[in-house]
Amino acid sequence: MARRELTQAITTEGRRQIAQHGADGLSLRAVARELGMASSALYRYFPSRDELLTALIIEGYTALGDAIETADARADRLGVTGRWLAMCRTARAWARQHPHEYALLYGSPVPGYRAPADTIDPAARIPLALLGPLRDGWRAGTVAGQHGVPLPAGLSGQLENVAGQVAPDVPPEVIGAAIRAWTQLFGLISFELFGHLVGSVDPADEFFEYEIVDIAGQLGLPAPSAT
């Protein structure tokens, strides 16, 4: 078996184990056993459990980033609200289709594991994609300005630093609104996926749709009927 195919077989088995036992139950020896490999042979591909976890995390962020960016690309490029809504719906759909991968990315930290810098860029794809409609709408003049509590000096400085890296022409208030929307979106998804809405707004289809439209309004995006 070629190295690339064997690496894929290892990560596939790793995902299966996480689905069955949770991320903290991932075992290189068990992966090797299921694949009919000697543990020493598997260590040449992934010298430790943490390196396999890192590979699975990067795969997860990459798959989610691909899905969200594809949804954005398929939406009307001038309809910034439609783009936002399409990406939100896609993020939820991906999480529902891949609950264990989602939990690895956004669930409880794995005891003893510290994600390395290699995971930063794949993880950043998601909020950067979600920022896109807001940034483009601001530049086109179709996004209303942000009105609310003035930013404290420390937070304003943090947001200016972020803006300088991703959208230097966008005010820090808009960057802050985008970060808030990102956390709200994934809070919604996590509450649904981890069972916190049972007994209230479950099934959550209408609630989720209502909330993402409301968040779009908080962002200053045009009403959906106007896109």
Side-chain angles (χ1 to χ4, degrees):
M1 185 181 295
R3 183 177 183 87
R4 182 174 180 179
E5 293 173 341
L6 187 50
T7 300
Q8 184 174 7
I10 293 169
T11 56
T12 298
E13 175 59 26
R15 285 193 300 273
R16 191 192 69 80
Q17 282 202 18
I18 287 175
Q20 189 171 8
H21 304 295
D24 56 346
L26 180 63
S27 162
L28 289 185
R29 289 184 180 275
V31 171
R33 183 171 59 250
E34 290 296 326
L35 295 178
M37 299 174 61
S39 298
S40 58
L42 188 145
Y43 291 146
R44 291 199 292 269
Y45 293 83
F46 296 99
S48 69
R49 180 210 68 162
D50 285 5
E51 291 201 25
L52 179 54
L53 270 176
T54 295
L56 294 173
I57 289 169
I58 291 173
E59 281 189 0
Y61 279 130
T62 299
L64 178 55
D66 286 347
I68 290 175
E69 289 174 0
T70 297
D72 186 26
R74 289 176 176 170
D76 179 0
R77 304 312 298 163
L78 298 178
V80 290
T81 308
R83 289 169 55 194
W84 160 258
L85 297 175
M87 286 190 285
C88 291
R89 292 164 183 152
T90 297
R92 177 182 182 237
W94 188 90
R96 286 160 59 94
Q97 292 164 9
H98 306 89
H100 304 292
E101 288 92 333
Y102 179 88
L104 181 61
L105 303 181
Y106 297 106
S108 299
V110 180
Y113 173 78
R114 185 177 179 86
D118 292 353
T119 61
I120 294 175
D121 286 346
R125 287 179 61 191
I126 289 90
L128 287 175
L130 294 169
L131 171 64
L134 187 59
R135 177 201 61 218
D136 295 345
W138 176 266
R139 290 172 177 171
T142 59
V143 169
Q146 300 298 312
H147 303 287
V149 178
L151 295 175
L155 176 58
S156 180
Q158 289 177 323
L159 296 175
E160 286 175 0
N161 288 336
V162 175
Q165 298 174 46
V166 300
D169 58 325
V170 175
E173 292 83 3
V174 175
I175 298 297
I179 294 174
R180 182 168 63 249
W182 168 44
T183 61
Q184 287 175 312
L185 170 63
F186 282 89
L188 282 170
I189 294 171
S190 294
F191 258 59
E192 178 184 6
L193 204 65
F194 301 146
H196 297 298
L197 299 181
V198 173
S200 55
V201 287
D202 179 42
D205 296 11
E206 290 187 352
F207 177 68
F208 183 83
E209 192 68 19
Y210 174 86
E211 286 297 315
I212 61 175
V213 171
D214 186 63
I215 293 170
Q218 294 175 34
L219 287 171
L221 296 171
S225 60
T227 58

